Amino acid sequence: MLRQVLKSILKKPVTIMYPYEKLEMPDKFRGKLKFSPEKCIGCKMCMKDCPTGAITINKIGEKKFEAVIDLDKCIYCAQCVDSCPKKALEATKEVELAQLDKGKLRVIFDAESQKTTEEESKK
Amino acid sequence: MADPRKFKIPIGPQHPALKEPESFSVALKGEKIKGLDIRLGYNHRGIEKACEGKTFIQDVYLLERICGICSHSHSTCFVQAVEEIAGLAVPRRALYIRTLVAELERVHSHYLWLGVAGHEIGFDTLLMYTWRDREAIMDVLALLTGNRVNYGINCLGGVRRDIDATQIKEVIKAIDELEERTKYYIEVATQEVTIIERLSGVGILSHEDALRLGAVGPTGRASGVNRDVRRDDAYAAYAELKFDVITDDHCDVYGRTLVRVKELLQSFSIIRQVLKNLPDGPIAVRAPRKIPAGEAFNRYEAPRGEDVHYVKANGTEFPERVKVRAPTLANIRSVKQMLKDRYLADMPIVIAAIDPCFSCTDRLISVKHDNKEKEVMEWQALRSYSIDWYSKRGVDFTELNKKLEEKFKHK
Ligand code: SF4
Ligand code: SF4
């Protein structure tokens, strides 16, 4: 028992000071989705396979598609990433998605507005 | 006249000491438990029905969420059943990876149990120790699968993610450390007098009772029931691996503790064998979207015991029926036997000793009416019945309902 006590005194704390320190997520982590509109062909396989109906692909122009992702519905399973034949979707390491405003949980990705929504959701 | 020394106290469905909603009605005489009535059904989520409305691909994720601790058990059990119906030959590498995740899951689940058991008997240092150590496993799981819980590693026909050499190194590093720790816990469990005194002779379930009541997993094995699906009906890669089925004849909570800590060592050995013999090759075969008609029944040794899934397919993308029996349902009946004539103070640890997962257990709802045997109620009828029931007792939900609807209106 004494050995355990001494060992524990000399060790660094096992916890970290979140949110001042943050852990790095592993490479294969399934976090917030990222959509690349230029790759999408609008086959909607992702919509079909999504277990929760969190992703919607809309046609916004000739061969142009936008993705609407409800972050509160998404279970971060990345099935849509696997289903997509064109690799237009990918999972990022982003995990801090909590919001006070429910409206911000709906993220719209399209070629023009992608930058603005990304920035907004970071705030 | 009723004996004034006899009491009936309700514990739950909402109770500060219970982590999940379940209800126990305990008949007491003095400090001794004379009768126990267990009622489940407070956390029915309608998962089986929901499965019928979703495709096989989506169901893997839904069923994975039956349990937050043994999620891999449920998803593996389901995909194995579907693979059997569809006649898919899963690549060996995939089977090995499934086994790896399954054993890592068992390790983290048993560690979790050890901490909870320590907490229930007032040994909170053990809780802190084991849960700290458990983090190493959670990190390894996140590294291998992409998440700490609900790993999402299974897909129909194989697994979704491959593992590489650096990851294998990480796993071995974590396992080495944990094996040391486990040996220490075994030392604690077999030498620490307070633990032995507190747990011995508590929650006794004799070998005959365990068989009669159908106890599974560590609960059964601690009563000398030598059964383990991994050996008896080998799935995944277990047929090619060497391991012992741990049994014990203490028949009490102490025995269940020993079985679990010793199983940890077996799991480490299985993980090492898997990593050493990991075959090369693809990690998945293509599964058809439409699963041919047929049915399959699959068993799986979850950390808590035998998990059973029944799947019926009708040739479409949607299953006709999915039936789940979580291990807790098999073990819950023995709790009544274990607590007979025991002290009330033993109740928390005896219940905790089967490592219950009540929400996973809730499957079927049947409404009993006073004058009729059974009645099937539609959602609307059930809703107005509940509104009526409350309004008769002077609770009016109309205002609250309006407010809630206002609040949750989705944009
Ligand atoms: S990660 Fe899963 S839940 Fe989220 S949008 Fe993709 S398929 Fe749907
Ligand atoms: S599956 Fe890929 S290509 Fe098809 S609609 Fe979805 S994002 Fe676009």
Side-chain angles (χ1 to χ4, degrees), chain A:
Chain A
M1 204 66 197
L2 198 65
R3 226 181 63 220
Q4 289 291 324
V5 174
L6 288 176
K7 242 198 211 158
S8 300
I9 290 176
L10 297 175
K11 248 196 226 153
K12 272 197 301 172
V14 270
T15 49
I16 59 155
M17 293 291 279
Y18 184 83
Y20 307 109
E21 284 171 54
K22 281 173 192 169
L23 289 174
E24 174 73 10
M25 293 300 146
D27 280 344
K28 290 177 180 174
F29 194 77
R30 308 190 306 263
K32 185 181 166 186
L33 292 172
K34 194 167 157 233
F35 175 67
S36 318
E38 66 284 356
K39 290 189 197 155
C40 179
I41 50 164
C43 67
K44 301 200 176 173
M45 284 313 281
C46 49
M47 270 173 81
K48 188 160 185 284
D49 282 348
C50 175
T52 58
I55 185 166
T56 317
I57 302 284
N58 293 324
K59 191 169 183 180
I60 49 168
E62 195 52 43
K63 287 198 178 153
K64 262 195 193 153
F65 300 92
E66 65 164 22
V68 182
I69 299 169
D70 289 319
L71 297 181
D72 48 349
K73 275 194 199 164
C74 180
I75 54 172
Y76 305 97
C77 60
Q79 174 62 44
C80 51
V81 179
D82 289 1
S83 295
C84 178
K86 291 288 166 196
K87 302 213 165 27
L89 287 159
E90 68 182 289
T92 64
K93 294 185 193 178
E94 210 183 320
V95 284
E96 290 170 321
L97 306 171
Q99 289 285 0
L100 287 174
D101 177 4
K102 237 183 156 192
K104 288 212 183 112
L105 289 173
R106 170 165 278 200
V107 182
I108 302 171
F109 288 101
D110 69 50
E112 286 79 35
S113 69
Q114 187 167 4
K115 279 214 177 70
T116 45
T117 45
E118 282 256 288
E119 267 159 28
E120 246 172 46
S121 63
K122 280 223 175 87
K123 258 178 218 160

Side-chain angles (χ1 to χ4, degrees), chain A residues 1 4-5 7-8 11 14 26 28-30 45 47-52 70 72-73 75-79 82-83 102-103 106, chain B residues 54-55 57-58 61 65 125 129 132 142-147 149-152 160-163 167 181 184 289 317 408 410-411:
Chain A
M1 204 66 197
Q4 289 291 324
V5 174
K7 242 198 211 158
S8 300
K11 248 196 226 153
V14 270
K28 290 177 180 174
F29 194 77
R30 308 190 306 263
M45 284 313 281
M47 270 173 81
K48 188 160 185 284
D49 282 348
C50 175
T52 58
D70 289 319
D72 48 349
K73 275 194 199 164
I75 54 172
Y76 305 97
C77 60
Q79 174 62 44
D82 289 1
S83 295
K102 237 183 156 192
R106 170 165 278 200
Chain B
K54 294 198 178 285
T55 62
I57 295 175
Q58 295 169 328
Y61 300 102
R65 279 156 180 80
T125 315
Y129 274 179
R132 176 194 67 192
L143 180 78
L144 293 178
T145 67
N147 220 333
V149 284
N150 294 330
Y151 323 113
R160 291 170 68 202
R161 279 153 200 256
D162 206 351
I163 56 179
Q167 286 172 331
R181 298 294 305 164
Y184 172 67
R289 281 182 175 270
E317 290 177 19
F408 288 117
H410 217 307
K411 280 136 281 192

Side-chain angles (χ1 to χ4, degrees), chain B residues 15-52:
Chain B
H15 192 276
L18 299 174
K19 277 127 207 128
E20 288 175 275
E22 63 271 353
S23 159
F24 301 92
S25 168
V26 196
L28 282 180
K29 189 173 178 194
E31 280 282 293
K32 291 238 166 122
I33 297 174
K34 287 289 162 200
L36 182 72
D37 193 16
I38 306 171
R39 296 202 65 177
L40 303 167
Y42 293 95
N43 211 352
H44 182 74
R45 294 170 290 175
I47 287 187
E48 287 176 7
K49 188 71 193 163
C51 280
E52 291 164 23

